[in-house]
Amino acid sequence: MLFDQLPPEVSVYEVSPRDGLQNESATVPLRGKLRLIDALGAAGLRRIEITSFVSPKWIPQLADADEVAAEVMGSPREGIDYSALCPNARGLERARAAGIKEIAVFLSASETHNQKNINKTISETMAAFQDTVKPAVASGMRVRGYVSTVWGCPYEGDVDPKRALSIARDLLDLGCYQVSLSDTIGSGTPLQTRRILELVKTEIPTEKLAMHMHDTRGTALANIVVGLELGIRTFDASVGGLGGCPYAPGAAGNVATEDLVYMLHGMGIRTGIDLERLVEAGKAAESVVARQLPGKVHQAGVRSLRA
Ligand code: HMG
Ligand code: MG
């Protein structure tokens, strides 16, 4: 029965400074990035992915990752887990030098997207994680894993959910504490989400899973409700709906954090986030990127949930 299994609280993992800004055509200056990260912390977000230690040739928008991370880790807000995306051993080295304590690694459930995004096959990528995930975990860092294109690939179309399950299992075996199943191109629909999650849940406990839903076709929240029902308790989101994936043509940003939080609070589910201050963070994001953002609550504003 719908809404029988709702939790009292969930965790929101904010990706706008990384997933959002990596896809902006203009490169945001360092002080704008720091302003956004600070506004997110002030709104009560406790998990923020602040940048990406990928090749600056591939993602020039985040070429200042070393400076961003050193600034944030130099005077962190208390109680926040700051993380950074990291593709390989070189990225790990840079993350360590900046004082980062949590990294996120990524690969795709479809070969073509993986090749275009990381320039390796899926099995080469997983093999290279021996030099990234393993040493990171051994030195006490937390490592999160993303599996991209679970709901569909921009090059190959449908993707067998068994591929996502097998990759997620491998990431957890390597030492990741959580795997975020990603709808990279935002093509997922609720029944499909139920099929994917029911399969993945047969082998992986839901507390080790998260959902990362791009909202290209407006179905992210509907899919998240299915995830809530099936026991998922961590959801990735991007303030204002900022973002996309540069190697997934046409992909829009992640579900807007304000939309997610508005819905969750309205359902009586706590997040620890102050929605009014989150809306302020969305305005900061908009001014930092100097373009209108698509989030619904961002545009419509918050009205009393009791009215
Ligand atoms: P490559 O060209 O195959 O790498 O790229 P390489 O090992 O041959 O090295 C080539 C050059 O890059 C060398 O420099 C390396 O030092 C340098 P050169 O000798 O030419 O001067 N290099 C680096 N420099 C800085 N930091 C590094 C690094 N690694 C190599 N870490 C690589 C392979 C993985 C690096 C490249 O393909 C890359 O950076 N890809 C990242 C693409 C990306 O960031 N995509 C978006 C993020 S993923 C995403 O958005 C999906 C997600 O949100 C979930 C979802 O929505 O699905 C997570
Ligand atoms: Mg993404």
Side-chain angles (χ1 to χ4, degrees), residues 18-19 22 53 55 88 94 117 119 148 184 212 214:
R18 191 282 300 170
D19 201 333
Q22 79 184 9
F53 292 103
S55 160
N88 54 19
R94 293 172 63 201
N117 199 30
N119 207 20
S148 291
T184 313
H212 177 100
H214 284 267

Side-chain angles (χ1 to χ4, degrees), residues 260-269 275 305-306:
L260 175 65
V261 169
Y262 178 87
M263 182 186 82
L264 292 170
H265 289 186
M267 294 168 87
I269 301 170
L275 185 54
L305 295 173
R306 287 183 301 278

Side-chain angles (χ1 to χ4, degrees), residues 64-85:
D64 59 0
D66 309 78
E67 288 96 324
V68 170
E71 285 282 345
V72 173
M73 299 315 288
S75 51
R77 275 180 183 267
E78 222 184 292
I80 300 186
D81 291 324
Y82 296 103
S83 55
L85 205 67

